């Protein structure tokens, strides 16, 4: 099977590439990645049957021949950080919307199976303490430039299925954690701050809830959907991992032997989504998927160890990331 993985040098895509070549001896993987600040070729270095093409998913001349050579396209490529989208939305429009459009036109032309990776944030947010989770048919109510650009990309996929018969599926996953995540994101930022002796930064109250899933569970669900999902359908991926940001910070502080209040409250994120939570019943019932990494405390312990062991991977970016946050009072 020839698999084209866009964004395969980023966090989730790189983990997907690793698992794919480890578990599928017949898979040949081509990664198409622009290598933005978030893409790191080291994350997929030295893997057998993996070929990296550096290029833009919004550039048809690059995309078309790669799609023509693929049996399936899995689209992880995106601008993915909410805070960046608040500072400058433009690359989010270009990559997330125009990039998805370009891929859709190519898979349409070559009749190639397409799986689009999206996020639970397209549904907006839930109230803290509310007894409700996101379901596949819920209305789209994105809050940020990032999540609205992802929502737009999902709608393009749905239209290309309906109007042009493109064979596509969509998955909307909750917050991922694990190895190779960029240190701008909450968990790796907190871990690498503590390695550097910097106090973790909590936006606002810290009572916001995220539904954490290990990246390898996300990716096993993606393969289940590619293999067993119904064309045109949307599947929500989540592992019942709701925790608020204070709880997560305190778990990480405890791992470093620090006091539970050894953090700083900083400026809140404008428009900050309060709570995400996924109902994954449809995915579980239709594909039989279930998460393997259910022990969040162990997952956090192992992730901390990974960042301790891979300082060469993240160190070059740490000072610039913190300088950017400092400008926002975060
Ligand atoms: P990431 O920012 O770590 O990686 C994105 C990758 O895409 C990078 O390697 C980057 O270089 C590449 N890229 C960016 N623009 C590109 C372009 N125009 N052409 C080609 N490559 C380009 O992101 P991530 O956290 O791995 O997220 C991957 C996907 O999963 C995204 O679509 C995101 O919306 C979605 N998602 C992420 C999470 C999460 O918790 N991180 C949760 C749900 C869904
Ligand atoms: O230093 C921080 N302090 C803090 O309190 C950072 C970086 C974040 N936060 C808060 C904001 C959120 O409530 O932690 C929570 C998680 O923040 P992020 O890691 O930025 O993730 P989030 O905004 O929830 O979005 C993530 O999940 C959905 C991914 O980045 C998206 O790509 C995905 O679509």
């Amino acid at each position: 099977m020839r698999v084209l993985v866009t964004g395969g040098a980023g966090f989730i895509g790189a983990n997907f590439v690793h698992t794919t070549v480890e578990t599928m001896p017949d898979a040949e993987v081509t990664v198409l990645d622009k290598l933005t600040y978030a893409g790191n070729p080291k994350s997929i270095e030295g893997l057998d049957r993996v070929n990296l093409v550096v290029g833009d998913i919004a550039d048809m001349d690059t995309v078309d021949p790669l799609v023509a050579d693929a049996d399936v396209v899995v689209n992880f490529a995106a601008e993915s950080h909410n805070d960046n989208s608040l500072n400058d939305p433009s690359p989010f429009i270009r990559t997330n919307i125009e990039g998805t459009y370009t891929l859709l036109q190519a898979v349409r032309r070559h009749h190639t199976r397409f799986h689009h990776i999206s996020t639970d944030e397209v549904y907006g947010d839930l109230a803290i303490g509310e007894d409700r989770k996101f379901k596949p048919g819920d209305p789209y109510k994105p809050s940020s430039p990032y999540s609205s650009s992802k929502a737009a990309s999902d709608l393009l996929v749905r239209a290309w299925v309906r109007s042009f018969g493109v064979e596509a599926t969509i998955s909307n996953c909750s917050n991922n954690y694990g190895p190779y995540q960029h240190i701008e994101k909450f968990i790796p930022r907190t871990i690498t701050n503590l390695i550097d002796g910097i106090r973790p930064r909590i936006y606002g109250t810290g009572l916001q809830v995220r539904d954490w899933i290990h990246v390898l569970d996300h990716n096993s669900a993606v393969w289940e959907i590619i293999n067993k999902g119904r064309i045109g359908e949307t599947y929500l991926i989540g592992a019942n991992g709701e925790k608020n940001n204070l709880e997560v910070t305190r778990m990480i502080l405890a791992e470093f032997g620090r006091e539970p209040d050894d953090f700083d409250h900083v400026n809140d994120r404008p428009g900050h989504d309060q709570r995400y939570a996924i109902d994954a019943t449809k995915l579980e019932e239709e594909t039989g998927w279930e998460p393997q990494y259910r022990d969040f405390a162990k997952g956090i312990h192992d992730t901390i160890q990974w960042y301790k062991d891979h300082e060469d991977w993240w160190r070059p970016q740490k000072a610039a990331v913190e300088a950017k946050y400092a400008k926002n009072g975060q």
Side-chain angles (χ1 to χ4, degrees):
M1 183 188 257
R2 296 163 305 165
V3 189
L4 177 60
V5 180
T6 68
F11 163 45
I12 308 175
N15 278 286
F16 184 83
V17 171
H18 278 264
T19 312
T20 299
V21 290
E22 277 160 23
T23 58
M24 294 171 55
D26 65 328
E28 296 281 339
V29 176
T30 298
V31 170
L32 170 60
D33 198 296
K34 193 175 170 184
L35 299 184
T36 67
Y37 78 96
N40 190 340
K42 285 198 176 125
S43 305
I44 48 170
E45 209 168 57
L47 293 176
D48 283 341
R49 290 174 283 121
V50 176
N51 173 35
L52 170 63
V53 176
V54 179
D56 188 339
I57 58 162
D59 173 19
M60 185 57 94
D61 290 342
T62 304
V63 162
D64 193 74
L66 296 175
V67 170
D69 274 347
D71 298 311
V72 58
V73 179
V74 192
N75 179 29
F76 291 93
E79 287 291 336
S80 69
H81 194 36
N82 276 299
D83 293 324
N84 293 344
S85 81
L86 297 165
N87 288 331
D88 178 12
S90 62
F92 290 76
I93 306 304
R94 161 95 179 158
T95 290
N96 299 358
I97 303 178
E98 290 180 38
T100 303
Y101 159 75
T102 307
L103 291 168
L104 284 168
Q105 287 290 72
V107 296
R108 176 187 170 198
R109 187 173 308 120
H110 297 290
H111 306 284
T112 312
R113 176 77 169 87
F114 185 65
H115 182 73
H116 182 62
I117 304 292
S118 192
T119 173
D120 57 358
E121 297 189 19
V122 298
Y123 297 111
D125 63 354
L126 301 159
I128 295 166
E130 182 186 4
D131 184 22
R132 191 167 72 86
K133 297 184 173 199
F134 295 135
K135 292 196 161 121
D138 284 355
Y140 274 31
K141 276 171 52 183
S143 316
S144 74
Y146 162 67
S147 51
S148 58
S149 68
K150 292 296 292 185
S153 69
D154 293 7
L155 298 184
L156 291 177
V157 177
R158 289 181 183 185
W160 262 242
V161 170
R162 167 111 184 217
S163 296
F164 304 124
V166 161
E167 293 202 5
T169 40
I170 299 175
S171 55
N172 300 74
C173 189
S174 59
N175 284 61
N176 286 218
Y177 75 99
Y180 300 108
Q181 186 167 28
H182 195 276
I183 54 166
E184 68 189 352
K185 302 289 177 9
F186 175 50
I187 286 179
R189 183 184 185 206
T190 302
I191 293 170
T192 54
N193 273 359
L194 285 166
I195 291 173
D196 280 357
I198 305 170
R199 286 158 70 90
R201 311 290 199 233
I202 297 260
Y203 294 178
T205 60
L207 295 176
Q208 299 80 12
V209 174
R210 296 294 182 264
D211 189 353
W212 294 99
I213 183 172
H214 195 279
V215 61
L216 296 180
D217 280 333
H218 178 180
N219 285 336
S220 65
V222 170
W223 269 122
E224 290 287 355
I225 295 165
I226 292 168
N227 290 326
K228 302 179 191 161
R230 286 179 294 133
I231 296 303
E233 292 294 316
T234 291
Y235 294 89
L236 266 55
I237 306 173
N240 297 318
E242 282 186 71
K243 294 253 177 307
N244 74 35
N245 296 337
L246 280 172
E247 290 174 281
V248 174
T249 301
R250 287 183 169 138
M251 286 176 76
I252 300 173
L253 281 166
E255 286 276 341
F256 279 86
R258 302 275 291 260
E259 294 299 317
D261 287 339
D262 224 353
F263 60 81
D264 292 325
H265 287 283
V266 294
N267 287 346
D268 206 352
R269 172 184 286 170
H272 199 168
D273 280 342
Q274 293 302 297
R275 172 175 165 251
Y276 305 138
I278 291 278
D279 178 345
T281 308
K282 175 178 171 183
L283 169 72
E284 291 162 357
E285 288 185 354
E286 287 194 21
T287 71
W289 172 83
E290 49 181 58
Q292 302 299 315
Y293 297 83
R294 293 168 193 271
D295 184 345
F296 185 65
K298 182 175 185 316
I300 286 291
H301 175 85
D302 292 349
T303 303
I304 291 171
Q305 194 57 50
W306 190 89
Y307 282 90
K308 285 183 175 169
D309 292 343
H310 294 81
E311 193 168 330
D312 57 323
W313 182 86
W314 56 266
R315 172 61 65 197
Q317 296 197 304
K318 183 66 181 167
V321 167
E322 290 308 312
K324 202 157 72 176
Y325 278 125
K327 271 195 197 158
N328 284 345
Q330 291 176 324

